[in-house]
Amino acid sequence: MSLAYLAQEAANTESTFKGFGALGYGLAAIGPGIGVGIVVGKAIEGIARQPELSGQIRTTMFLGIAFTEALALIGLVAGFIF
């Protein structure tokens, strides 16, 4: 097999799978969406149980949301790279 043939085959397969980046990001966004829902739900539950710690629970909740949303951004970047 020649190098030119392999390059041509690689170019053909790349054009075949063009729309799968958006599909991959859509699937990658499901996990962080579920994660944010769980974090917020548990924070509301914690605030309801101990209202005096609402400030600390809220701060921790926002940190959890930020880390979970970082996964969605990594999924977006990975979709563009691959």
Side-chain angles (χ1 to χ4, degrees), residues 10-25 78-82:
N12 288 340
T13 57
E14 184 177 323
S15 64
T16 306
F17 298 116
K18 254 188 178 166
F20 288 122
L23 179 66
Y25 176 65
F80 284 124
I81 289 175
F82 300 117

Side-chain angles (χ1 to χ4, degrees), residues 43-66:
I44 291 172
E45 185 179 318
I47 291 171
R49 289 181 182 206
Q50 292 186 345
E52 65 273 5
L53 292 177
S54 65
Q56 187 177 2
I57 292 172
R58 189 176 298 122
T59 302
T60 307
M61 178 191 72
F62 285 132
L63 282 172
I65 289 172

